[in-house]
């Protein structure tokens, strides 16, 4: 072969190699900037995903499936053979559960102790009696409430790494941590997929992953709208409020967050509490706990868990903890910051 032909062939080969490399790199670049947005129903609520990264679609699919599985195999008291169903069914005995379920319940018990019982997963029988959000609510009578109240008490729950035992007449309800747990599980899966950034919301619990985002706080008087926003940087946000699930009877409003001391919906001057912290479970449990405890008592609890919060009161004033004062913005003229 002529020397000049050889030279042409090697130049062409180099160009081809370069084209392949550039092609692969740009394919990778396009994939890594893939963005998946989707909405679904799970845990009796709307879940929405906004995930960016190479495997955004696979991560979205797996997280969705995982959350549905989580409810069916661990968290739901309704689904036969779930961990919670078996704990309730086996009341009075040691029931073996997954290590994850045991550790979530353990964390819930810590928050019960730190909130002096304002947060208590043993309200299960009472939440079933009230059945708020079912559309078939009937005002329960005082005697039934007081009888069921006797069995409420987180101190009667015993756990090991792989088992949970509640007292004979007790029933647990993980409704106040389920959505937060879903955010934590989603976070681990996003790590596994090396996702660039994501926002996942499971009802009132939101995970802002590897990015900063402005998160809207629902207006308790019109929950389709926001009354404020907060800047969240790689954390979880959870809101509990009296406007989410409630019914009216005898001219009174009965919402779904119960005071474990009275057995009735918590009486408070709050409309909602939004908690921001690193863990989804903590944010979810703390928002419920703070709603029951009220503003003043909540501050110490929030401090202990390194959490920040926004309190919306029924006189349309708002209190924001010090750590998020600068990132909080009112977006509705109907509210004022205290
Ligand atoms: P949501 O589930 O609507 O986001 P929360 O996170 O505040 O609202 O949880 C409320 C649910 O938790 C109730 O529907 C009930 O199942 C359960 N629950 C009610 N009161 C308490 C309480 N004081 N402590 C623990 N769980 C509670
Ligand atoms: Mg909660």
């Amino acid at each position: 072969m002529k020397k000049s032909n050889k030279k042409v062939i090697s130049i062409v080969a180099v160009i081809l190699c370069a084209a392949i490399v550039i092609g692969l790199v740009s394919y990778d670049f396009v994939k890594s900037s893939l963005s998946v947005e989707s909405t679904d129903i799970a845990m009796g609520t709307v879940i929405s995903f906004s995930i960016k990264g190479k495997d955004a679609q696979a991560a979205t699919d797996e997280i969705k499936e995982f959350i549905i599985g989580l409810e069916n195999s661990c968290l739901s008291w309704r689904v036969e053979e779930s961990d919670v169903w078996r704990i309730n069914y086996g009341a009075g005995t040691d029931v073996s559960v997954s290590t994850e379920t045991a550790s979530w319940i353990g964390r819930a018990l810590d928050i019960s102790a730190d909130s002096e019982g304002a947060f208590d997963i043993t309200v299960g029988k009472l939440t079933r009696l009230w059945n708020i959000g079912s559309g078939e609510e009937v005002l329960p009578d005082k005697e039934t409430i007081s009888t069921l109240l006797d069995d409420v008490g987180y101190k009667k729950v015993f756990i090991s790494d792989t088992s949970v035992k509640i007292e004979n007449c007790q029933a647990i309800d993980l409704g106040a941590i389920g959505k937060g747990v879903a955010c934590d599980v989603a976070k681990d899966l996003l790590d596994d997929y090396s996702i660039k950034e994501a926002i996942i919301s499971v009802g009132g619990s939101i995970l802002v992953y590897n990015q900063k985002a402005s998160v809207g706080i629902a207006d308790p008087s019109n929950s389709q709208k926001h009354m404020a926003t907060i800047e969240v940087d790689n954390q979880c946000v959870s809101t509990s409020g009296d406007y989410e699930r409630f019914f009216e009877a005898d001219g009174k409003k009965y919402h779904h967050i119960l005071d474990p001391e009275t057995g009735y919906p918590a009486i408070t001057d709050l409309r909602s509490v939004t908690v921001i912290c690193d863990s989804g479970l903590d944010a979810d449990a703390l928002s419920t706990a703070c709603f029951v405890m009220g503003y003043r008592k909540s501050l110490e609890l929030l401090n202990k868990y390194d959490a920040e919060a926004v309190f919306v009161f029924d006189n349309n004033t708002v209190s924001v903890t010090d750590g998020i004062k600068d990132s909080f913005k009112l977006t509705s003229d109907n509210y004022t910051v205290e």
Side-chain angles (χ1 to χ4, degrees):
M1 200 188 286
K2 269 189 184 173
K3 215 175 180 185
S4 63
N5 274 355
K6 262 191 180 169
K7 203 171 173 190
V8 170
I9 288 170
S10 41
I11 290 171
V12 170
V14 167
I15 292 172
L16 267 176
C17 283
I20 290 169
V21 170
I22 290 169
L24 283 176
V25 168
S26 53
Y27 174 71
D28 227 44
F29 175 75
V30 170
K31 259 192 113 189
S32 71
S33 56
L34 251 186
S35 174
V36 173
E37 314 270 334
S38 82
T39 303
D40 235 291
I41 300 284
M43 293 190 155
T45 189
V46 178
I47 49 173
S48 66
F49 300 84
S50 167
I51 300 185
K52 279 196 191 123
K54 213 165 140 190
D55 295 314
Q57 188 60 57
T60 305
D61 295 344
E62 188 171 346
I63 292 169
K64 241 183 241 177
E65 210 170 291
F66 213 95
I67 291 177
I68 293 168
L70 181 71
E71 187 178 24
N72 291 333
S73 66
C74 303
L75 304 176
S76 173
W77 58 264
R78 287 187 182 88
V79 178
E80 277 192 29
E81 298 304 326
S82 76
D83 283 349
V84 167
W85 185 90
R86 288 185 307 103
I87 291 166
N88 289 341
Y89 192 77
T93 63
D94 273 318
V95 175
S96 52
V97 295
S98 70
T99 50
E100 289 84 4
T101 301
S103 90
W104 295 326
I105 291 178
R107 187 70 173 173
L109 295 177
D110 290 343
I111 296 177
S112 295
D114 291 328
S115 67
E116 291 171 0
F119 179 84
D120 192 328
I121 56 169
T122 65
V123 291
K125 292 219 166 148
L126 281 166
T127 55
R128 243 164 281 175
L129 174 72
W130 281 96
N131 210 8
I132 296 175
S134 65
E136 296 164 0
E137 300 92 343
V138 187
L139 197 58
D141 61 81
K142 274 190 191 139
E143 291 69 32
T144 317
I145 291 176
S146 121
T147 309
L148 296 184
L149 205 50
D150 290 342
D151 300 317
V152 173
Y154 68 91
K155 289 181 184 163
K156 298 178 200 162
V157 179
F158 295 94
I159 57 164
S160 76
D161 287 347
T162 53
S163 71
V164 179
K165 180 184 172 188
I166 60 174
E167 193 148 275
N168 248 324
C169 297
Q170 286 188 314
I172 58 166
D173 174 343
L174 299 188
I177 59 167
K179 296 168 191 120
V181 166
C183 288
D184 291 337
V185 166
K187 191 169 158 185
D188 290 343
L189 290 169
L190 292 169
D191 284 344
D192 292 348
Y193 277 97
S194 304
I195 287 299
K196 228 164 91 183
E197 49 193 47
I199 299 176
I200 296 179
S201 71
V202 186
S205 291
I206 299 169
L207 163 70
V208 176
Y209 179 83
N210 261 351
Q211 67 176 103
K212 283 186 186 167
S214 175
V215 172
I217 296 177
D219 183 342
S221 301
N222 181 0
S223 59
Q224 301 305 313
K225 289 194 171 162
H226 292 155
M227 45 76 70
T229 58
I230 33 166
E231 294 304 312
V232 177
D233 186 359
N234 204 20
Q235 283 191 304
C236 293
V237 183
S238 189
T239 300
S240 290
D242 70 357
Y243 58 90
E244 293 173 85
R245 274 184 283 147
F246 63 89
F247 74 102
E248 275 165 283
D250 305 338
K252 268 184 83 180
K253 190 172 151 182
Y254 296 90
H255 59 76
H256 73 311
I257 303 171
L258 302 181
D259 183 340
E261 215 160 277
T262 63
Y264 281 82
I267 296 174
T268 171
D269 57 352
L270 289 164
R271 296 295 319 274
S272 75
V273 183
T274 298
V275 172
I276 303 104
C277 64
D278 289 341
S279 142
L281 187 159
D282 289 0
D284 200 355
L286 291 173
S287 65
T288 309
C290 292
F291 189 87
V292 177
M293 292 170 91
Y295 173 68
R296 280 196 193 289
K297 279 187 158 182
S298 295
L299 297 179
E300 203 183 318
L301 179 70
L302 291 165
N303 228 352
K304 181 156 190 189
Y305 284 81
D306 216 3
E308 304 290 340
V310 177
F311 297 83
V312 181
F313 297 94
D314 57 10
N315 64 358
N316 284 14
T317 59
V318 181
S319 260
V320 183
T321 52
D322 289 342
I324 49 166
K325 281 219 156 93
D326 294 341
S327 67
F328 175 84
K329 247 191 229 133
L330 268 185
T331 54
S332 162
D333 294 339
N334 298 334
Y335 294 86
T336 48
V337 180
E338 270 191 341

